[in-house]
Amino acid sequence: MIERELAEAVIQHFWAGRPVPVNPEEIAVKAGIEVRSISPFEPGYDPAISGAYANDGKRPVISYNLGDTPNRQRFTIAHELGHHFLQHGPRFRDTSATLAGGSYDPIEVAANRFAAELLMPAYAMRVLIVDQGVTSVDVLASAMQVSEQAMIYRLKNLGYIR
C-alpha cells in the first residue's frame, strides 16, 4: 500500500526518533507547507468545511477549521498532507464526511489512509498493543491523539479487531 510506505518515509524524514503522537502540523511546516487555521469569525466561514489543500506553485498551504476538535484538526492536517505527498494537486475543501470515510473518491480514500498511517503508525500500534499489552480503545486513541472512531477503524485495518 503506497500510503503506508509514503507515511513511513515522511515519518522517517520529518519525525525520526521522536515519540508518538506524531505532530502533523510540525511535519507540514518542516516540509515547507504553510498551515492556516480557518476561524469562525472569518467571512465565508462554513462549519461543515474541515480543511483544504492549495498549491499555487509558490508555497503549498493547508487550511483547517479552528472550530473542529483538536483531534479532528490533527486528522485534517494529516489528510491534507496526504494530498500534498501523494501529489494529488490542489483539493477542494474537505468536509467532515470525506474525512470520516464517507467518500468513495479514490483520492479522498488515499488521503484518509495516509492520515491514518501518519497519525497511528503500524510500528507504534504494535508496540502499544503487542509489547505493552494496551487493549483499551480509549487509551490507544488518547496516546495517538485521535478520535476513538479513527482508532477503531485503524485497529480493524491492522487486523487487531474485526
Side-chain angles (χ1 to χ4, degrees):
M1 180 177 351
I2 189 168
E3 296 87 2
R4 176 174 289 176
E5 294 166 2
L6 189 54
E8 287 174 357
V10 167
I11 288 170
Q12 283 301 314
H13 187 77
F14 296 104
W15 200 256
R18 298 183 67 187
V20 292
V22 173
N23 184 331
E25 184 170 0
E26 190 172 324
I27 289 173
V29 170
K30 285 182 177 181
I33 303 167
E34 182 179 347
V35 180
R36 295 181 187 160
S37 61
I38 305 164
S39 167
F41 299 103
E42 291 180 34
Y45 172 80
D46 182 346
I49 303 300
S50 290
Y53 173 72
N55 188 347
D56 63 4
K58 296 176 186 167
R59 183 170 186 197
V61 177
I62 289 173
S63 302
Y64 68 93
N65 188 331
L66 194 59
D68 285 345
T69 66
N71 287 344
R72 168 59 75 191
Q73 292 171 9
R74 287 171 40 75
F75 196 88
T76 297
I77 294 167
H79 174 96
E80 303 306 338
L81 274 173
H83 288 312
H84 175 78
F85 286 113
L86 292 163
Q87 300 179 350
H88 292 156
R91 296 302 294 171
F92 62 88
R93 294 179 174 255
D94 289 305
T95 65
S96 57
T98 58
L99 294 171
S103 173
Y104 296 102
D105 177 346
I107 290 175
E108 294 305 315
V109 170
N112 278 342
R113 282 187 190 139
F114 177 89
E117 297 286 350
L118 187 73
L119 295 177
M120 299 168 275
Y123 71 88
M125 297 291 290
R126 187 173 44 256
V127 167
L128 287 170
I129 295 166
V130 176
D131 298 347
Q132 296 180 7
V134 177
T135 59
S136 166
V137 171
D138 180 49
V139 171
L140 291 167
S142 180
M144 301 292 178
Q145 292 184 358
V146 298
S147 69
E148 287 185 29
Q149 178 184 2
M151 181 55 67
I152 290 168
Y153 188 76
R154 183 70 170 139
L155 290 168
K156 286 179 181 177
N157 282 339
L158 290 173
Y160 289 112
I161 62 175
R162 291 185 182 166

